[in-house]
Amino acid sequence: MADGVDPGEDNGSPASEAELQDEFLHEKLLSEQGTHPRMRLTRVHVRLGRRFFSVWWLLGIAITLAIALVAAAKLYFASGAGHQFLARHACIPLSPPVPAGMPAFVRWTHLLTFFLLVIIVRSGLQVLADHPRLYTKVHCTPGREWLRFRGPVPPDRVWTAKQDTITLSPLVGLPGGRHTIGVARHWHFIFDILFVLTGIVYAAFLFSTPWLHRLLPTHASIFPAAASCAVTYLSLHLPRGASGFFHYDALQQLTYFSVIFILAPLAILTGLAMSPALDNRFRWYARLFGNRQIARSIHFLVMVSFLAFFIGHMALVALTGLAPNLNDITLANNHNNLDGFAIWLLVIALVIAFNVWAVRFSWTHTRVLQRVSNLTVGRVMDLLFDHTAPRVEYRRRDISPYLWPNHARLPDSSPEWCALRDEDFRGYRLKVHGLVENPVELSLEQLQAMGKQQQITLHHCIQGWSGIAEWGGLPFAELIERVRPKPEAQWVMFYSFAAGGEGGDRYYDSHSIHDLRHPQSLLAYEMNGERLPILHGRPLRLRVENQLGFKHVKWISEIEFVHHFSERYAGQGGYNEDHEFFGYRDEI
Ligand SMILES: Nc1nc2c(c(=O)[nH]1)N[C@H]1C(S)=C(S)[C@@H](COP(=O)(O)O)O[C@H]1N2
Ligand SMILES: [Mo]
């Protein structure tokens, strides 16, 4: 180790990569599965006012409503007024005729999108399971969520966000089995990139062919026509002349238009609105949706809409002529044979096989997945966010009434930290060493004397919750100036007094010097105008506002300047990167 200091010395020897993979597979997969509850539909509750209701009630209400709607539509359909309306506004066909047969780009992107969305939705559910609550306020106060997938937060003890996670069956979540947001995010983001690329290819073709006119509503008459379709469908009729998918009816056209031009972009835009780098640079962005948690809720509701669309779409494909419809979307003909059906079955089988493989691969080749993600998703983040120094600040009255505490372990199993705590951190010395000209050991008083900055900022946890707090501390740039990094120093390691997990290594993480020079990168010793609470990192913690929360090391014991983070421990950049396979940079 550089300068003869072994950052792992007080926590046993650093684990090798192979050991970590092993430990993860056998120990964690099996043990943690038992400690977090499995998601159950019976535990899903919505809040109305102050009370939470089971979603089964909602389902009951929805079914009742649907029956009432069908009854009303049937009455209207049979009435004179209904008759007139339906005659005046024909449901079919609105889209102009184009040469028969689906173009190849539609057929291929359609299949590909289906495949990609299966992965995106399954891994997205896995991400949601890591913080199974949805909010309308950016604060995430327990009890104020509008939807939750597990019981209330226990009021009588410290309850960390990590404890709050649930697990999913591998049938539902990718990878499923245990809570693992790190692995899920790799699938989610790699496939997001493929989804966006598919969308770009699709759009390029769409806008250069007459096919566009089948989707783009160009006349206001589409709305009464779509209403006419809705009455027809709701009264359990099929529009006359419904020839499957050669001629879109008005409602069909509007629905496809909405899925492609509203839902898909909204999924991407609300996904981006959860990024700390984006939110903390451009306040207006998350505000487009209200706030970051509303964006997260919309992101979830978009997924629900995709699922609802999928079900309705499949039902109508089947009802309006399964065989010709499937021929149309696969082979561009509407013959009445089973060729298209066979292809469709094959596609389903391939998608299932891929998912089975993906679940296995997630646990047998987790490092490979992480590396692929670092090389793709990481590069995209470089491109999008490398130059965005965070700068958004909130007002005092925006401060969250509650900030989730989050950690696997408090530092109270470190005798060193306990001794310091017992004498109120008077003997605390922050060691700053490694590739620097001027290694130092600084007391809290010395750190405070070096400068103080206060900032009210939004914290983004990788799990999904957020919160606003005021932080006071030393701008990291001041420390950089003091210790004078050598030219080869590019990264800085932060080591905590607290263990990262049940056994072994202490918590640590790394940041590029570039990020640490941002004006909002702080070594914080105050929170909300008071001494930093023990729960939130006393005596010293990090704030690096363009990065996710797990990179804000709490209870800092020492700081080491290195050439590259790969020189430490398993080499992925931090405790979570090594043990939980997180990305080494997470600005989204
Ligand atoms: N030492 C240590 N620091 C840590 C963690 C941890 O487990 N150990 N958790 C991180 C995570 S995941 C988050 S979201 C933030 C939470 O900070 P808070 O508890 O002050 O809200 O701390 C980060 N710092
Ligand atoms: Mo976190």
Side-chain angles (χ1 to χ4, degrees):
M1 299 273 169
D3 300 346
V5 180
D6 175 4
E9 64 194 349
D10 50 353
N11 285 299
S13 56
S16 81
E17 199 169 309
E19 278 165 9
L20 283 175
Q21 176 81 55
D22 253 29
E23 174 198 347
F24 189 70
L25 260 175
H26 304 297
E27 207 171 296
K28 290 197 169 172
L29 175 61
L30 298 176
S31 69
E32 291 203 15
Q33 193 175 332
T35 63
H36 295 279
R38 218 0 109 82
M39 189 192 137
R40 302 242 177 289
L41 278 178
T42 47
R43 298 204 191 112
V44 186
H45 283 72
V46 229
R47 183 169 63 83
L48 293 171
R50 282 155 176 272
R51 293 190 52 193
F52 283 87
F53 297 89
S54 163
V55 280
W56 293 112
W57 283 103
L58 267 192
L59 199 69
I61 294 170
I63 291 172
T64 315
L65 216 72
I67 294 173
L69 266 175
V70 168
K74 276 197 166 299
L75 283 177
Y76 185 65
F77 192 83
S79 72
H83 224 76
Q84 263 183 5
F85 179 80
L86 292 175
R88 201 155 2 103
H89 303 284
C91 167
I92 277 185
L94 257 188
S95 56
V98 288
M102 294 261 180
F105 85 89
V106 172
R107 291 181 279 126
W108 283 102
T109 53
H110 179 262
L111 284 182
L112 192 57
T113 305
F114 168 67
F115 165 61
L116 300 177
L117 276 180
V118 170
I119 304 286
I120 290 172
V121 167
R122 279 164 46 71
S123 55
L125 288 169
Q126 179 78 60
V127 170
L128 177 65
D130 239 67
H131 191 70
R133 303 174 193 277
L134 293 170
Y135 311 85
T136 51
K137 291 224 168 84
V138 82
H139 307 306
C140 305
T141 313
R144 302 301 299 164
E145 61 271 40
W146 69 266
L147 184 64
R148 67 186 187 205
F149 297 85
R150 65 171 299 169
V153 170
D156 54 340
R157 62 195 130 133
V158 174
W159 185 251
T160 65
K162 286 203 168 88
Q163 285 171 292
D164 201 49
T165 61
I166 54 176
T167 62
L168 295 176
S169 153
L171 292 176
V172 179
L174 178 62
R178 62 164 288 205
H179 84 96
T180 170
I181 193 163
V183 178
R185 279 166 57 99
H186 296 317
W187 288 115
H188 200 67
F189 292 153
I190 292 169
F191 277 71
D192 281 351
I193 293 174
L194 297 175
F195 180 73
V196 169
L197 290 178
T198 308
I200 291 171
V201 169
Y202 174 82
F205 275 106
L206 185 67
F207 284 98
S208 54
T209 61
W211 197 259
L212 180 66
H213 304 295
R214 306 199 35 166
L215 287 175
L216 220 53
T218 47
H219 202 273
S221 65
I222 191 163
F223 294 108
S228 154
C229 301
V231 170
T232 313
Y233 286 118
L234 274 175
S235 56
L236 306 184
H237 297 91
L238 283 180
R240 211 152 346 123
S243 62
F245 292 82
F246 276 91
H247 292 286
Y248 296 167
D249 69 42
L251 187 61
Q252 196 177 6
Q253 187 181 348
L254 264 189
T255 307
Y256 293 169
F257 175 82
S258 309
V259 168
I260 295 165
F261 289 96
I262 298 175
L263 280 190
L266 203 54
I268 297 163
L269 296 176
T270 51
L272 283 171
M274 292 184 251
S275 146
L278 203 58
D279 291 358
N280 286 339
R281 169 70 172 215
F282 304 109
R283 177 115 190 242
W284 60 266
Y285 187 74
R287 270 191 178 152
L288 289 178
F289 309 99
N291 63 50
R292 184 202 189 256
Q293 289 302 330
I294 297 180
R296 180 166 171 260
S297 294
I298 296 175
H299 199 67
F300 169 79
L301 292 173
V302 164
M303 185 273 298
V304 172
S305 310
F306 268 125
L307 290 185
F309 167 74
F310 177 73
I311 293 168
H313 182 57
M314 290 311 290
L316 282 164
V317 164
L319 284 173
T320 57
L322 188 64
N325 283 339
L326 290 177
N327 274 328
D328 193 9
I329 194 64
T330 53
L331 298 166
N333 68 61
N334 63 347
H335 300 159
N336 209 351
N337 60 34
L338 289 179
D339 295 357
F341 187 68
I343 293 177
W344 182 76
L345 281 185
L346 186 72
V347 168
I348 300 282
L350 285 175
V351 170
I352 291 175
F354 183 87
N355 277 271
V356 170
W357 172 83
V359 169
R360 255 209 77 68
F361 188 80
S362 295
W363 303 122
T364 55
H365 292 77
T366 329
R367 284 280 181 240
V368 177
L369 187 61
Q370 184 182 26
R371 230 160 260 156
V372 170
S373 176
N374 280 343
L375 289 174
T376 52
V377 179
R379 291 291 153 84
V380 172
M381 286 196 204
D382 276 348
L383 216 76
L384 290 178
F385 297 123
D386 228 20
H387 301 285
T388 53
R391 62 183 180 202
V392 169
E393 297 214 26
Y394 292 79
R395 290 156 304 181
R396 281 233 156 75
R397 63 161 198 257
D398 299 324
I399 289 175
S400 299
Y402 179 91
L403 190 77
W404 279 81
N406 211 12
H407 44 261
R409 300 295 300 268
L410 281 167
D412 52 9
S413 53
S414 148
E416 211 186 332
W417 182 87
C418 290
L420 289 168
R421 177 199 55 195
D422 292 344
E423 40 116 62
D424 221 12
F425 296 98
R426 272 187 294 275
Y428 175 74
R429 297 289 179 275
L430 172 70
K431 297 184 221 56
V432 190
H433 58 93
L435 300 175
V436 293
E437 305 287 354
N438 182 32
V440 289
E441 293 201 4
L442 298 164
S443 69
L444 277 178
E445 269 148 38
Q446 286 172 310
L447 282 166
Q448 282 157 357
M450 281 171 68
K452 177 174 170 185
Q453 173 175 309
Q454 267 161 305
Q455 64 196 38
I456 304 177
T457 48
L458 178 63
H459 178 94
H460 298 63
C461 173
I462 192 168
Q463 296 181 274
W465 59 271
S466 53
I468 298 169
E470 180 176 33
W471 305 98
L474 176 69
F476 202 85
E478 301 281 338
L479 189 71
I480 293 181
E481 204 153 291
R482 176 81 166 253
V483 299
R484 298 197 308 275
K486 295 179 178 166
E488 61 272 31
Q490 304 283 313
W491 288 81
V492 185
M493 311 294 302
F494 295 82
Y495 304 104
S496 175
F497 286 108
E502 283 314 309
D505 299 343
R506 52 185 166 170
Y507 194 88
Y508 55 95
D509 214 297
S510 60
H511 290 272
S512 68
I513 290 194
H514 173 75
D515 270 3
L516 291 167
R517 286 207 163 98
H518 289 327
Q520 281 190 343
S521 296
L522 283 193
L523 276 174
Y525 43 77
E526 282 183 12
M527 177 185 178
N528 296 336
E530 289 175 14
R531 192 146 75 115
L532 191 62
I534 285 182
L535 208 51
H536 296 287
R538 187 179 299 176
L540 211 55
R541 72 166 298 156
L542 255 184
R543 299 299 311 169
V544 182
E545 306 294 353
N546 58 321
Q547 297 284 344
L548 287 175
F550 74 90
K551 300 202 69 94
H552 303 201
V553 178
K554 303 196 282 189
W555 311 291
I556 297 174
S557 66
E558 56 179 299
I559 296 174
E560 184 191 18
F561 285 67
V562 295
H563 175 61
H564 194 260
F565 58 74
S566 57
E567 298 153 17
R568 293 294 174 268
Y569 292 97
Q572 302 300 316
Y575 185 89
N576 281 306
E577 291 90 329
D578 284 348
H579 295 256
E580 295 286 326
F581 303 90
F582 287 12
Y584 70 93
R585 57 180 305 160
D586 271 319
E587 291 136 333
I588 191 163

